[in-house]
Amino acid sequence: SPTKAQTTGTLTLSITTTEPAGNYNGVHVIAIWIEDTNGNFIKTKIRYADTRIQYLNKWVSASLYNVTDALTGPTRSGHGTINVSWNATDVAGITVPDNHYRVYVQMSDQNAAGASTFLEFAKDTNAQSLSLPDTLNFTNMTLSWTPVPAGISALSASALRFQCSPNPLCGPAL
């Protein structure tokens, strides 16, 4: 079977968390991770959790606690905007094949499984910008995929200058 393209690029996600009806008055645990549409875990991007990590049950099940290259920290003490970027690689640092992927978000501020949502996008040679409707306790969600062009067009003009001296095959230096 033919090998699928592996376009490089950057995914950016911006999401604002809001106060759920939980017990902890702004204090919450949160995880953001990438999966393919078959449910295969790709990479954790953010995991903020200490003692209540088990309430990120969807993330735990998907990742088996894998935080390779993830931004991690203690339980968050307040809500606000979170910005995430992904370079289209898996936990081994290999660029994943072009396909549809999902960015999952799960958050909890109580002693129970937290609310979750996912955002789906196509990782390929086409740029995308999505603004998504507010859902649960997640608002102002935007997602952008920016592929890196392949081939010589991706080179800068300065990278196209050549110098070959002292080489008798080259003419006089300009």
Side-chain angles (χ1 to χ4, degrees):
S1 74
T3 303
K4 288 194 90 165
Q6 294 177 304
T7 305
T8 58
T10 302
L11 173 89
T12 56
L13 168 72
S14 181
I15 188 168
T16 301
T17 62
T18 61
E19 184 67 39
N23 308 353
Y24 297 114
N25 229 8
V27 175
H28 62 281
V29 294
I30 188 168
I32 300 175
W33 70 100
I34 314 289
E35 291 184 18
D36 66 20
T37 55
N38 293 321
N40 297 307
F41 173 76
I42 304 298
K43 185 180 265 189
T44 300
K45 292 309 305 166
I46 285 180
R47 196 253 12 242
Y48 291 109
D50 276 336
T51 59
R52 293 181 183 83
I53 197 168
Q54 71 270 23
Y55 301 123
L56 298 174
N57 62 317
K58 290 184 179 187
W59 172 77
V60 168
S61 178
S63 71
L64 301 176
Y65 297 95
N66 188 317
V67 291
T68 302
D69 294 333
L71 181 59
T72 62
T75 300
R76 289 178 59 94
S77 60
H79 292 285
T81 300
I82 298 172
N83 295 301
V84 176
S85 65
W86 175 53
N87 65 356
T89 63
D90 62 15
V91 294
I94 298 169
T95 301
V96 297
D98 289 2
N99 208 340
H100 285 260
Y101 290 89
R102 292 178 176 166
V103 180
Y104 282 86
V105 182
Q106 186 175 25
M107 177 182 74
S108 180
D109 79 332
Q110 57 187 325
N111 291 332
S116 66
T117 191
F118 70 87
L119 316 165
E120 189 169 322
F121 73 101
K123 179 198 151 302
D124 58 23
T125 58
N126 300 306
Q128 285 186 58
S129 289
L130 306 169
S131 292
L132 302 141
D134 296 349
T135 181
L136 303 169
N137 301 104
F138 310 113
T139 63
N140 302 317
M141 295 182 286
T142 60
L143 181 145
S144 296
W145 167 248
T146 306
V148 172
I152 199 159
S153 63
L155 297 175
S156 68
S158 63
L160 295 176
R161 271 190 277 149
F162 295 97
Q163 213 173 27
C164 58
S165 66
N167 185 336
L169 297 176
C170 293
L174 300 176

